[in-house]
Amino acid sequence: MGFQTIPGTKDVLPDDLARWQRVERAARRISRLYGYGEIRTPLIEDAALFLRSVGETSDIVQKEMFRFKDRGDHDLALRPEGTASVVRAYLEHNLHKTHGFAKLFYAGPMFRAERPQAGRFRQFHQFGVEAIGSSSPWVDVETLTLCLQILRECGVHDGALWIGSMGSREDQERSAQTLRKRLAPRRMQLCQECQARFDKNVFRVLDCKNPQCHAIAQEALGPSASPFVLSAESQTRFDEVRNGLRSSGIPFDDTQPFARGLDYYTHTVFEVRAKGLGAQDAVAAGGRYDHLVEDLGGPPLGAVGFAAGIERVLLAAAGSPGEAPPPPDRGGVYVAVAQPALAPHGFQLVQHLRGRGVQAIMGYEGKSLKAQLREADQAACRFAAILGEQELAQHSITVKELGPRSDNPMPGGNQRTIPLDTFLEDMRHSAKHACHPTR
Ligand code: HAM
């Protein structure tokens, strides 16, 4: 057996890529409508960036980060998410001084050493946005609106929005003390990991899968479903976000407050969950992080953002009614030569076409004309341009239209010989779409 992709990673072949590009294009286009500019950050970062932001006790840092030393003994990590890198870049390039409020969009691969399963990969792809430099609840509303609009445009029609508030940092500290007090009598009955979490980040005890920890945590929580007790100010802020969503006609569910597994969140947190994705049903998630800029060495600036997993968006869109199948249109030109000796002329013609913005391919294997036409058909080309001795002598070309099409631009049959100049001009208008060389 030859080499294969490692579990949790996958190849995206040209035929699948059309769907990926549709999602990326929609995300880029709509983000631009909302005033976002694209940013690209490196795939490797200082590991400490994620310890400081995502949090030392988070699952991402504890178990999932691809972390390694380079030859200079620097502690590096493949980025597990985009927010920390974007804030690092915002500060490194002084955008807080030049722009103040910055709206940044990104798309690209992220890496987490998770146990692969349906919808969960070790290399996955996110698009996301970060609005850095504002604490207005309206920026939360706008971010949520943008997220939902992109998902809809990508064909996710059954996404349900879940929102909650984790309160301010002061609320979180107060809530942590309360939770610790309630858990303290049974602390020694918690699993080893939760005993460490008790001191470092007590909220993580609530996420533990161990049945005994789960029972103890539920008992400590009591009837209130949320561990976060909000101050009046935080409550007002949360109300403002919810009212903003209502006035924009965006339905949401706020009945099950939830904590997110990354440490930087404050106030609004949210997830968009899609039906039919099983356990990994979050297609997009995000929230506000009002202390991260300061924690990474910048001024105290509020920020909010979200990221969506492209693989999950595609899975959710595939399960949604009404997702349009990829267009079956033929496109482009296949240049076929009557004899192998004419290949240099064929190559020149292909280059002429490409120079005019027409997608053109040819075969280089010296196959028969029939085999070349079969190849043109398999590649879903719209036209085959056949070049023989006679055509060469007359500066002409024989053009054959492949497959049925309603808007036939070649009246009087689907094959004819025309002057080369006319052909080059015609193709500019007729062969717009691309052909698919791998089909
Ligand atoms: P997250 O919830 O860790 O948040 O990930 C966001 C989305 O990325 C998830 O909802 C899911 O669609 C996708 N995702 C995460 N892990 C995987 C995986 N292993 N396989 C496939 N898809 C995955 C963040 O990453 C935050 N940075 C979001 C954010 C931006 N918060 C504020 N700004």
Side-chain angles (χ1 to χ4, degrees), residues 347-358:
F347 187 70
Q348 246 179 30
L349 180 54
V350 161
Q351 288 301 92
H352 272 311
L353 287 163
R354 291 171 180 163
R356 284 171 163 73
V358 178

Side-chain angles (χ1 to χ4, degrees), residues 81-83 106 112 114 119-121 124 126 129-130 260 262 264-265 282-287 289 305-309 312:
E81 59 108 50
T83 311
Y106 55 93
R112 296 186 195 174
E114 301 194 80
R120 191 161 79 180
F121 304 95
F124 58 100
Q126 285 184 341
V129 304
E130 311 296 345
R260 305 251 309 115
L262 300 95
Y264 47 63
Y265 289 115
V283 276
Y289 47 95
F306 80 86
R312 289 192 197 172

Side-chain angles (χ1 to χ4, degrees), residues 8 54 60 64 80-84 106 110-131 143 260-262 264-265 268 270-272 277 280-289 292 303-313 315:
V54 174
I60 291 181
E64 297 166 3
E81 59 108 50
T83 311
Y106 55 93
M110 307 289 163
F111 304 85
R112 296 186 195 174
E114 301 194 80
R115 199 170 45 79
Q117 62 181 81
R120 191 161 79 180
F121 304 95
R122 296 206 277 176
Q123 174 174 335
F124 58 100
H125 300 77
Q126 285 184 341
F127 62 78
V129 304
E130 311 296 345
T143 305
R260 305 251 309 115
L262 300 95
Y264 47 63
Y265 289 115
T268 315
F270 64 92
E271 269 181 23
V272 181
L277 293 195
Q280 308 302 321
D281 63 350
V283 276
R288 179 158 279 283
Y289 47 95
L292 185 57
V304 59
F306 80 86
I310 298 181
E311 289 84 354
R312 289 192 197 172
V313 169
L315 280 170

Side-chain angles (χ1 to χ4, degrees), residues 117-188:
Q117 62 181 81
R120 191 161 79 180
F121 304 95
R122 296 206 277 176
Q123 174 174 335
F124 58 100
H125 300 77
Q126 285 184 341
F127 62 78
V129 304
E130 311 296 345
I132 308 172
S134 169
S135 295
S136 165
W138 277 105
V139 186
D140 304 29
V141 175
E142 188 188 75
T143 305
L144 279 156
T145 313
L146 167 61
C147 173
L148 293 168
Q149 189 175 339
I150 295 176
L151 292 177
R152 253 197 327 272
E153 176 101 1
C154 294
V156 181
H157 299 294
D158 61 357
L161 172 63
W162 294 75
I163 65 169
S165 173
M166 291 172 67
S168 64
R169 208 166 249 187
E170 294 73 39
D171 295 339
Q172 292 177 5
E173 273 159 24
R174 217 172 345 95
S175 308
Q177 274 173 17
T178 309
L179 187 58
R180 266 195 212 101
K181 230 181 264 164
R182 291 192 190 155
L183 284 173
R186 303 188 65 185
R187 181 177 176 173
M188 300 321 281

